[in-house]
Each structure stands twice: as C-alpha cells, then as structure tokens.
Amino acid sequence: MSIQYRKKALLEAKNLHHSFVEGETITKVLKGVSLEIRAGETTAISGPSGCGKSTLLYLLGLLDRPDTGEIFLHGKEVSQTDDSTRTNLRNHSIGFVFQFHFLIKELSVIENVALPIRKAGISKEIAKSRALTALTRLGMESKANRFANKLSGGEQQRVAIARAIANSPSLILADEPTGNLDSANSENVFTLLDNLARQENLGVLLVTHNPELAQRCSKKINIRDGLII
Amino acid sequence: MKLLNLELAWKYVIGRRRAMTMSLFGIVLGIAFFVVTQAQTSGFEAFFVKTILGTNGAIKISDRFQDMDGTVSVSSVNGKTRFHLNSRENARYIEGISNPRLLRKALNQFPQITGISEILEGTGSLSGISRSQSIEIHGIKIKDHIMVSDLEDQIIRGELNEFNLNPMSILVGSRIAQRLMLKIGDRVTLNGGTGNLQLRVAGLFETGVSQIDKHRAYLHLNTAKAFLGKRFSGSILQLSVKDPTRAPQISAQIQETINHRTVSWQERERVWLDVFKALRISSAITVSSILLLSGLGIFNVFAIMVIEKTRDIAILRSMGFKPFDASAVFLWQGAIVLTVGITLGIIVGLLSTYAISQIPLRIRGIFSTDSFMVNWDSSHYYSAILIAIVFVSIASWIPARRAARIEPAKIIRETL
C-alpha cells in the first residue's frame, strides 16, 4: 500500500462515507463528511442522536474503516492501512476518552494509566513514572494506588483523560466525555481538555450534546443526517 | 509486552477468585484422582507381574513341533518382494524339548537371555504323617533355576543349600505344608510315576500365587526324571530375559529358530493382564471425566468472563492492544490456572498415593499382599498432566478466540 504525504492539518478527513448493514437493511450513517483537526485546537462535533457523530469519531480514531473516503493523520493516508499499523497508530498517536470512563476495575489507577505506555514497550517502572506525571497534571496523584472503581465519577473521568494523554498522543478523541457528569465535573473535564490542547499542542476532537461546551471550542462542526451542515 | 498480557491475566484471575478456585479445585482433584487410581491399578498389576516373572520366568519353551506345511515362503521373480507366512495349524507336536544341551547352546546365541533352567513337570501324590495331597512336581537344577526365578527370596522356611546338597530332598509350597502339617526335616512320601520316593522337606516356599503355593513342589531334576520315568525327554525350559517387556518378540524369534513351542509371560498370563488393562483404562476414563468436567467449568468461567470483559477488551484494543493480545490474556489465565492446578494436583496425588499405600489390605489369590499395592510411575503423572493440558487448553482457547474477534468500535458504540 502506498502512503501519501501531505503537509496540512494534524488530522484530515475527506469525503467519508460509512454505512451499517443489519440483515438486508443498509443504513447510511455518513454521507460524505470532510473535516480538518489542527494541533492546539479543540474541535466540537455536535448534532442530534444517531446523526453519525460517534461513528465519525471511531473512523477518525481508526477503530473502524470507512466505506469510502480518506483519512490523513500527520499527512499520511491511514484509512486503508493494515490492522497492525492502525493498532500502532492508536497506541502512539491517539488517545480516547469515552462517555463512561471504561477503566479496568481489577487494576489500580496508576496501572490503568500506565497501560498504553507499557503497550508501547516501555518498562514497567518508566511507564509508572510517566503515568504518575499524567495523573499529577490532572490532580489525581494522591489516588494513584486506589482501585478505579473506588473513585467518584468525576475522578474516574479524570483518570480516563490521564490514560488518554499518558503515551503523549498528538490527538485526543473524546466521545461525550462530560455526558455522564454533573455540571461542576463537566466544567472541570472540559477545562482539562481545553488546557491540554493549548499547552501540549494537541488536537482535541470532542463529540458533545452540550451546546455551551461546543460554543467554547475553537471550532464547531454540526452534523445532521450524515452530513456536515 | 508478553509480560503485560500475563500481568493482566493474573489480575483477572485474582479478580475472579471464587470462580477460579472452583475450576482449580476440579483440576487438582482430577489430576490427584488420576494419579491415585493409576498408581493402584498398575500397582497391583506390577506386583502380579513381578510375582509371575519371579515364579514362572519370562519365557517357557515346551514341545518340539514339526512344521508339516504351515510355513509358506514365496518370492517374486526379481527377488525383491518376499512373503513368509507362518501357521502352526498342521504342525505335529512332540511332548517336551528334545536334546536340552543342544537347545541351550542355541539359546546362548540370544544375548537378551540371562538365564536358562531345565524343568521336568509331572504330577504325584505327597503324603505326610496323616494326610496326602496331589501335587505338581517341578524337577529343577537349583543353580540354574535361581537364575530364572525369585525362588531364593520365596523360601520362607529352611535353606536352599540344604536342598542343593541332598538329592532326595523336596521344596514344598507353603499351602501344601500347611495342609499336610509339614515342618523342615520331615520325611514325606511321593507316590505315583514309577513308584514311591522317600524325601526330606528341605524348605517351604511362598510365591504369593495361591495356585502355585497350593500345588507345587520342587525336586532335583535327576530325582524327578527317575521318579517320572522320563530320563531323556519331556522337560521344558524356563528363561529369564534382560527386558521382560520384550519377551513376546524374543520368544517369537526363539520359536522360529529352534522349532519349539515358545510362550512369553504376556501370552501365558493374557487373561489377567487383560483384566488389569481393562481396570486401568476404565479408571482412567472415569477419572478423566473429572478433568473434562473441570475443563468445562473453566470454559464456562472464561466464556462468561469474555462476555463480561468485552468492554475491557474493546478499550484495550482502542489503546493499541492487538487481537492476539486479547486472546493471549485469556490463554494466560488458562495457563495460570493450569500451572497451579498441576502443581497442587501432583502434590495431592503424591500424598494420597502414599497414604493409600499404607492402608492394610490382606489379599491371597492371584498374588498375596498385606497392604494396598501402589506403583510409583512417572508416566501416570505425565498422562494426568497431558489430559489436563488438553482439556484446559481447549477450554481457554475457544473463549480466547472469541476475545480476539471482538470489534472495538461496535462494542463501545453498543455500550454507550
């Protein structure tokens, strides 16, 4: 497979189409979506339920493949690369934050955060040290050795953000990260992501239903019926 | 990286302690029961074989036969293909071996043979002070016979040397002595054959095989020949070999070479050996079912765990874990349970086998023992481990494969 190089945005999607097949029913979810994510910016994707926001996020995060269209990460076309390359890119370049924290309850906070670093082949000691740094940045260092399920919802989401940034990715993809939090915790989480984008020069793509949060992002994309409006 | 998968597996195992302990318990019990039952059945079998080999030897050569038309040899025209068919259906048998000296010479060419004893078998009636009993006479040369049997160890009263020095002495089976109330030095009369013989009891022996102890008595070979009127014929040869397990092959070679009916101990004792084999296989199948059940238990635990951990697997995949890593986490869990299960199973098996070997049990029949016989054979442990590995591997592999097939985007989408 040839890899095309472009000198543009951190992430660029061009004319993405995606559909789900259930039995004989084909549902077209994305009907030609194009967008750009730049480093240091927070981009919000909003729209009604079922419009394809999350699907777009998973395509951009290389968890799924588009039917047609192209995705460029750091200028390289990645939508049709092999599974191994996509897995490595997810580990090194992309951090995910979901609506639910999705922490592994059998692991302590620091072990959860250290997972992507250790997956990258870093030794356990260094990974833990880097995980602690990430937790410190999110004010969670005092809870490092607790089990994830012993934390409050807001704390768990902060740990999930720490895990997303632990391996120093260039892109954070957050799927309604405040959807399950009260307003105070929502504000905290958004501020954290926004600060990370600015201070670390990360690209942050945020799917949200919250119009206030969307309004505060550097860029806002509205999707309806599989198209950007 | 491999260690990371192992660490995750360990955390999951610890996280499901109760379910894993139940699965572990099944493996431990399965391995321990397998080892114990095999140790018992093969223990009795090994003891029986030892008794039989120590009494009747590994191979017996008896009647000479003339191959009338039983052997057919055919060669192809070019001589490359040869057929050699043996059949003893129409062979003519002549009782006893002929020319023992020549046969001995021929048998000395077989390096596997470690001892040859000429025996003359016959029957007679042995009379003590007040009772008499029919007996099976075995005429032997004691120096030869102790090379092919455990007679030296089987003497419970008297001395073999006494027997060796006095050609008119007799060694009597323990049950005969009991019935006729004989003591060492008693005079007995042997009736039958060519007349009566006055003999002195030089020793009592006990083989453990009640049929032998009830009916057998040893005489000097020349005395037996004179008594039975068979000075030049009718005797048989009993052989011992280096490796008794190869007796069937060796006896087939001997039979081909010397044209005498040659029977290995395996052929001679086939009925009992088949009984032991059936018992061993039956217990192995029964006990394997415990391992199978524990394997199913593990499968159940892992299958449920894959369903429960679907979200974890999806999130691990989003972090850069490969499908192989997802399955490796479950395979490692199987390996952890298996390793601990095997270790504990072997320890419990060893201790149980030892405990069983201490249970008093009096058996008098095809052999004699006063305690449970067990066989300390490493092959039982290897077999149990192998069966456990097969069952647990399958039980872990199926859920692991399922874990590898999880599509992260679909799972995360459905969870939200």
Side-chain angles (χ1 to χ4, degrees), chain A residues 23-188:
Chain A
E24 292 179 0
T25 313
I26 299 171
T27 310
K28 289 191 174 181
V29 184
L30 297 177
K31 300 168 184 171
V33 171
S34 300
L35 55 84
E36 281 185 9
I37 310 291
R38 294 180 187 281
E41 285 184 2
T42 311
T43 306
I45 302 178
S46 55
S49 293
C51 70
K53 305 183 296 287
S54 296
T55 302
L56 175 62
L57 196 82
Y58 301 146
L59 291 179
L60 299 176
L62 310 179
L63 287 172
D64 214 343
R65 288 177 193 273
D67 297 342
T68 57
E70 293 171 305
I71 299 168
F72 296 90
L73 182 64
H74 299 298
K76 292 177 193 173
E77 210 294 312
V78 291
S79 68
Q80 299 305 326
T81 51
D82 60 79
D83 281 341
S84 177
T85 308
R86 293 158 68 84
T87 305
N88 284 333
L89 283 170
R90 282 204 299 269
N91 180 240
H92 290 99
S93 303
I94 303 169
F96 285 95
V97 182
F98 299 98
Q99 181 177 351
F100 299 102
H101 54 82
F102 287 159
L103 298 172
I104 294 170
K105 68 174 184 180
E106 286 82 1
L107 302 181
S108 66
V109 164
I110 197 162
E111 286 169 337
N112 264 289
V113 177
L115 270 177
I117 313 172
R118 293 196 61 196
K119 178 64 194 130
I122 310 291
S123 74
K124 193 175 179 177
E125 289 69 31
I126 296 171
K128 280 203 166 179
S129 152
R130 281 170 59 178
L132 192 63
T133 308
L135 283 167
T136 306
R137 286 176 61 190
L138 290 152
M140 291 297 295
E141 71 278 14
S142 60
K143 310 279 171 79
N145 292 314
R146 288 209 188 167
F147 278 90
N149 56 355
K150 304 287 177 196
L151 304 178
S152 69
E155 288 174 329
Q156 287 174 335
Q157 199 60 306
R158 278 153 73 187
V159 174
I161 295 171
R163 184 178 63 188
I165 63 165
N167 207 24
S168 310
S170 49
L171 178 68
I172 300 279
L173 300 176
D175 191 1
E176 307 217 29
T178 61
N180 206 32
L181 301 177
D182 57 32
S183 55
N185 274 312
S186 294
E187 177 59 30
N188 282 338

Side-chain angles (χ1 to χ4, degrees), chain B residues 190-234:
Chain B
L190 185 61
N191 304 304
T194 53
N196 298 334
L197 266 182
Q198 293 293 317
L199 301 164
R200 186 182 289 276
V201 177
L204 309 182
F205 65 87
E206 187 171 274
T207 61
V209 183
S210 62
Q211 279 303 311
I212 295 172
D213 297 337
K214 263 183 196 172
H215 296 110
R216 187 176 293 184
Y218 290 108
L219 264 64
H220 281 257
L221 182 62
N222 288 334
T223 311
K225 279 183 173 177
F227 175 73
L228 294 170
K230 292 179 177 177
R231 286 200 174 273
F232 306 106
S233 64

